[in-house]
Amino acid sequence: MATKNILIVPGDGIGQEVTAVGKKVLDAIAAKFGHTFNYDEALIGHVAIEATGEALPAESLEKMRKSDAVLFGAVGHPKYDNDPSAKVRPEQGLLKMRKELGLYANLRPIKLFDELLSASSIKPEILKGADILFFRELTGDIYFGEKGRKNDGDTAFDVAEYSRYEVERIGRKAFEAARTRKKKLCSVDKANVLETSRLWREVIQKLALEYPDVEVEHQFVDSTAMMLIKNPRRFDVVVTANLFGDILTDEASQIAGSMGMLASASIGDGTGVYEPIHGSAHDITGKGIANPLASILSAALLLDISFGMKAESDLVISAVDQVLKEGFRTVDIADANTKPENILGTEAMGQAVLKFL
Ligand code: IPM
Ligand code: MG
């Protein structure tokens, strides 16, 4: 029995709706296993800008640092998407949080629940058995390099930069994970063009000498994008840079049926942050139809990785599995075989999972 302080950071759009469900699942686990989970909440993103003028107020950051783990929702608001001149933007809150908390490793497990084989737009025979663990570097690359305008604003630049140290620490995490899985690691770069990628490859090659039991391959990002759809089963652990990882994991979410199914863990030296990979989805915000399973699966990752509660985490995952086996779906993962009465909204899907806990 443990006592833990969990910070709930719902953020924007459907982040609010799905995180509320993720928290209920954590509550149910605490009750069942006799743990005490204390909760606090903090603002980030558009809601934080509205309340304080900043995308990540100092108070929120302080609360994150002090908590044992963060359950995160999403950030973003459509009003900024078509306003490139906005100085304060919701996403800045997310990036600052990653940097300030030193969350350099973003784990994105892509695993298809068998029940959802027909929910994907990819053929079931190609998908069946696919199980990939992405390690996306999260605090470097073109996201955090120097950026700006020159020539009176007519030219813009974003600098991509990586140090040996940054590549090595994410590489190590990926090698360690590969050891616990199929001992296969694919490192993705664009070393035929980019200097940062040539450094990346050099560092991974050198690390490989320390992990002779892990079979390493290097692939270019463009051909990886193609192979992910052509033959996803050929991948096990994949490690890549920030921007490539951002793009490849959205693509890979289709292997899991829907973006609404994918959870992620961002870890580093301090507090871990757990969040769905989907965004704030303002097109469906407030309709009560968002899929809460990614937030629930994020809670499962939180239990396992930050608290070492493997049994608790496995129970959450098996409850999700049961719910899908019973035929329940949110609208994003429903298909022609789903009975209309089995299509559930956000809250009802949460209740269905709670029933199996
Ligand atoms: C993600 C998101 C973020 C990113 C955005 C919201 C800044 O797409 O977590 O994948 O690009 O990292
Ligand atoms: Mg993304």
Side-chain angles (χ1 to χ4, degrees):
M1 285 190 287
T3 299
K4 299 284 182 189
N5 299 315
I6 302 174
L7 186 68
I8 308 287
V9 185
D12 302 323
I14 61 166
Q16 300 276 343
E17 299 161 41
V18 298
T19 313
V21 177
K23 175 171 179 266
K24 280 190 193 152
V25 166
L26 288 170
D27 268 338
I29 287 291
K32 192 170 171 90
F33 288 81
H35 300 306
T36 305
F37 292 164
N38 303 315
Y39 302 97
D40 196 358
E41 275 215 19
L43 295 174
I44 196 166
H46 175 66
V47 290
I49 296 173
E50 295 280 279
T52 70
E54 282 179 89
L56 178 63
E59 189 196 339
S60 296
L61 191 56
E62 199 48 40
K63 284 186 178 179
M64 289 170 180
R65 287 213 166 93
K66 286 198 184 126
S67 66
D68 294 315
V70 175
L71 186 70
F72 194 94
V75 295
H77 193 281
K79 87 174 203 201
Y80 303 89
D81 294 345
N82 293 315
D83 178 11
S85 68
K87 287 273 174 293
V88 184
R89 317 180 65 86
E91 292 79 7
Q92 290 163 348
L94 180 64
L95 298 181
K96 186 168 173 199
M97 173 185 80
R98 290 172 177 170
K99 197 71 174 178
E100 292 285 333
L101 296 181
L103 302 169
Y104 64 85
N106 183 220
L107 281 65
R108 296 188 164 182
I110 313 282
K111 195 167 172 178
L112 178 72
F113 286 88
D114 272 349
E115 309 303 320
L116 296 183
L117 265 177
S118 56
S120 173
S121 41
I122 307 172
K123 291 193 197 103
E125 61 269 31
I126 298 217
L127 281 183
K128 198 165 168 41
D131 179 357
I132 309 173
L133 177 57
F134 273 89
F135 279 80
R136 168 187 174 194
E137 199 289 329
L138 205 58
T139 53
D141 202 4
I142 195 164
Y143 272 64
F144 291 94
E146 197 192 332
K147 48 186 84 240
R149 296 277 177 114
K150 50 189 186 184
N151 302 336
D152 292 334
D154 289 337
T155 305
F157 60 91
D158 297 274
V159 177
E161 201 172 317
Y162 266 123
S163 70
R164 220 172 262 285
Y165 166 73
E166 288 174 304
V167 181
E168 196 182 313
R169 63 183 180 175
I170 181 82
R172 237 176 238 295
K173 285 248 187 277
F175 271 104
E176 295 292 339
R179 269 198 169 150
T180 69
R181 294 172 51 110
K182 291 189 191 140
K183 299 188 170 31
K184 264 181 66 183
L185 177 65
C186 176
S187 173
V188 178
D189 61 31
K190 186 73 187 173
N192 50 349
V193 178
L194 303 176
E195 197 54 38
T196 41
S197 281
R198 285 191 277 270
L199 176 76
W200 182 281
R201 196 174 279 218
E202 189 185 314
V203 173
I204 300 290
Q205 278 170 343
K206 204 159 156 221
L207 263 184
L209 302 175
E210 289 180 43
Y211 298 87
D213 49 326
V214 177
E215 181 195 323
V216 186
E217 63 163 337
H218 300 270
Q219 291 291 348
F220 295 136
V221 63
D222 48 354
S223 85
T224 305
M226 179 269 292
M227 286 187 290
L228 268 175
I229 296 301
K230 193 173 173 214
N231 181 15
R233 277 194 300 262
R234 75 180 291 298
F235 295 102
D236 190 49
V237 179
V238 177
V239 63
T240 191
N242 202 346
L243 183 62
F244 298 156
D246 178 46
I247 299 167
L248 290 179
T249 54
D250 263 31
E251 183 193 357
S253 72
Q254 289 313 298
I255 297 169
S258 162
M259 286 262 272
M261 294 301 299
L262 285 196
S264 84
S266 302
I267 56 174
D269 309 314
T271 314
V273 175
Y274 300 83
E275 60 176 304
I277 88 154
H278 65 66
S280 49
H282 282 267
D283 51 332
I284 58 164
T285 297
K287 295 190 178 155
I289 58 169
N291 185 349
L293 294 177
S295 181
I296 292 173
L297 293 169
S298 297
L301 283 175
L302 180 156
L303 291 166
D304 181 10
I305 300 176
S306 275
F307 299 168
M309 299 176 178
K310 183 83 175 104
E312 289 84 335
S313 174
D314 285 347
L315 185 65
V316 174
I317 296 169
S318 78
V320 170
D321 202 22
Q322 296 273 357
V323 163
L324 296 173
K325 283 208 171 78
E326 293 287 314
F328 297 118
R329 301 285 186 271
T330 42
V331 64
D332 59 310
I333 50 175
D335 62 23
N337 300 320
T338 311
K339 296 196 194 105
E341 67 270 26
N342 279 349
I343 300 184
L344 307 181
T346 311
E347 294 238 336
M349 182 53 110
Q351 289 305 326
V353 173
L354 288 175
K355 219 181 82 198
F356 288 102
L357 286 179

